[in-house]
Amino acid sequence: MRVDVREKEWAVLMRAGNAGDAGSYQQLLRQLSPVLRALARRGLVRAGMADADAEDVVQETLLAIHLKRQTWDADAPIGPWLFAIARHKLIDALRRRGRRIDLPIDDFAEILSSGENEPSSVAADVNRHLGCLPAGQRSVVQVIAVDGASIDEAASRLSLSKGAVRVALHRGLAALAAKFRETEA
Amino acid sequence: MKTGDLIRALAADSEIRLRPPGQALVLALIPGVAIALGLFVAVFGLRPQIVALLGEPRLLFKLCLAAVLIGLSGALVLRLVRPGADVRSAALLLAVAPALLAAACLAEIFAVPSNEWGQRLLGANALFCLKSIPFLSAAPLVAIVLALRNGAPEHPALAGAGAGLFAGAIGAAFYAAHCPDDSPLFVAAWYTLAIAIVTVIGAVAGARLLRW
């Protein structure tokens, strides 16, 4: 039952996010991270790999959830949608690392451990792809992500229009997702 | 970069509204089908007296079958690009099209003496049909695959095959309005083969273009 309640809450947050409430959307992604982390760790361990790469998989999965958020049908349960994306990205990551595994049919119901904290140091993460972005996109992504600037603050700090910041941020994030796909880890 | 930092950037980007797959597909199909229609008018043209012939059951069946296949394959394609969606029921429903065609073939075999079967099967335009349906499907296929790049297919090649089937059905509907071979036997042999060609092309394209 607990899982059911949790997924309903995610669906509420996602609907609010899709309606333009960035705060709810951020809250959703923060709630998802520990669950995705537990899922990634378990998948890596099952494939006989170190779970130090888990954070890399978590970040790639969050990017995919974000960039494909329009493929969730707001009337459908959100759990199967999230799990399908997480599984797809995990299989992808394992394949790039030279492992082919068939993940057993699982779902979020088995992933209850929400106490998984972000590790303080990780083997690989989205940073290694930042350098590949065009300078304009890179600085916008960095100012907003690392320095915590809003769109408005980023615009004034980088002397750009708000529209230009939005476009650079969106393109930058899409490019990061593409870099994950291209690299052989 | 900390995962929390990445999340902040994602939230800042959430104001951009993305198009749901159904909407993206319809928007892409408008120019795709318009180009196919233009090519149809320029190269093929409607069959003479088609309106008068609409009472002819074989012609009517051929057109309705193409319409059924368009609807079913379109619904399947949309399921294929939504992670976690129920693909199985849409795929099973797709079997309605070959079942209808098999029933029509059976009816044709009873309605027509056996010495005419071969001629009905081969028709007058078999090779032309094989070339024309993929030709008319090309622009819709490009449009559909481009639209599906917005989606998130768990199996890119399969989603591409679905796109090929959908585009093949659209091409077949156009061609059906031109071709004088109306026998279900002809449709079963040549339309099926032509649509299969488009489906394979779609699968190959999907495997490359629909990864995400």
Side-chain angles (χ1 to χ4, degrees):
Chain A
M1 284 319 282
R2 195 180 157 269
V3 169
D4 215 35
V5 171
R6 185 176 66 173
E7 288 188 12
K8 281 202 177 112
E9 191 184 341
W10 290 344
V12 169
L13 291 172
M14 186 69 158
R15 276 190 213 105
N18 282 343
D21 177 354
S24 295
Y25 184 61
Q26 185 157 349
Q27 196 186 336
L28 168 71
L29 298 181
R30 289 196 195 283
Q31 285 188 23
L32 287 178
S33 305
V35 182
L36 295 175
R37 194 169 293 126
L39 196 72
R41 282 198 182 132
R42 196 180 57 175
L44 288 165
V45 168
R46 275 197 191 159
M49 302 185 62
D51 65 2
D53 278 346
E55 211 54 28
D56 202 36
V57 179
V58 170
Q59 295 187 354
E60 190 184 356
T61 306
L62 284 169
L63 267 169
I65 288 170
H66 175 68
L67 293 170
K68 300 299 182 185
R69 63 192 186 281
Q70 78 283 4
T71 64
W72 177 54
D73 172 0
D75 298 325
I78 198 168
W81 177 78
L82 287 167
F83 184 75
I85 292 180
R87 184 178 49 194
H88 185 81
K89 283 294 153 191
L90 180 57
I91 291 173
D92 238 26
L94 291 170
R95 194 176 289 152
R96 283 199 305 268
R97 289 164 174 82
R99 306 291 170 112
R100 278 178 174 276
I101 61 157
D102 293 316
L103 288 178
I105 308 287
D106 280 330
D107 57 52
F108 279 123
E110 290 179 36
I111 310 280
L112 286 168
S113 46
S114 295
E116 306 249 358
N117 292 318
E118 182 171 354
S120 49
S121 72
V122 295
D125 67 11
V126 73
N127 257 344
R128 67 198 156 102
H129 302 307
L130 260 184
C132 309
L133 297 187
Q137 292 174 11
R138 186 171 63 230
S139 50
V140 167
V141 171
Q142 259 167 341
V143 165
I144 290 174
V146 183
D147 304 348
S150 66
I151 299 265
D152 291 8
E153 289 159 3
S156 64
R157 206 183 298 183
L158 299 168
S159 324
L160 293 166
S161 72
K162 282 189 233 172
V165 169
R166 283 200 183 92
V167 169
L169 177 63
H170 188 70
R171 294 211 177 130
L173 293 172
L176 283 176
K179 291 290 172 205
F180 268 106
R181 244 180 355 254
E182 288 162 13
T183 36
E184 304 294 326
Chain B
M1 190 190 290
K2 300 285 249 176
T3 297
D5 294 346
L6 176 67
I7 287 175
R8 199 171 326 150
L10 299 181
D13 184 49
S14 69
E15 284 170 28
I16 293 188
R17 292 284 188 89
L18 303 171
R19 261 193 203 103
Q23 228 180 64
L25 191 60
V26 170
L27 279 179
L29 275 174
I30 293 170
V33 171
I35 291 171
L37 177 65
L39 290 173
F40 175 75
V41 170
V43 181
F44 299 87
L46 275 179
R47 181 174 167 183
Q49 284 112 41
I50 188 161
V51 179
L53 288 170
L54 274 180
E56 155 67 29
R58 291 182 179 84
L59 172 64
L60 205 56
F61 173 77
K62 185 171 80 164
L63 293 171
C64 289
L65 185 65
V68 166
L69 191 60
I70 288 173
L72 294 176
S73 58
L76 176 66
V77 159
L78 283 179
R79 298 280 179 95
L80 282 168
V81 295
R82 284 187 191 275
D86 175 19
V87 170
R88 183 167 305 196
S89 62
L92 286 175
L93 205 57
L94 199 63
V96 166
L100 286 174
L101 185 53
C105 286
L106 214 58
E108 178 82 335
I109 281 172
F110 281 113
V112 171
S114 61
N115 58 355
E116 278 186 35
W117 292 352
Q119 178 252 321
R120 296 238 169 185
L121 176 70
L122 288 176
N125 299 296
L127 281 179
F128 186 61
C129 168
L130 276 188
K131 283 186 284 188
S132 302
I133 290 180
F135 174 72
L136 289 166
S137 305
L141 180 60
V142 171
I144 294 164
V145 169
L146 286 180
L148 296 190
R149 280 170 64 85
N150 278 325
E154 290 176 69
H155 307 285
L158 197 61
L165 183 64
F166 188 27
I170 294 172
F174 277 119
Y175 182 71
H178 167 80
C179 173
D181 291 311
D182 291 335
S183 170
L185 298 175
F186 182 89
V187 173
W190 305 105
Y191 279 58
T192 305
L193 189 56
I195 293 174
I197 292 170
V198 185
T199 304
V200 169
I201 294 170
V204 172
R208 293 174 153 270
L209 299 174
L210 296 180
R211 292 177 54 230
W212 52 283

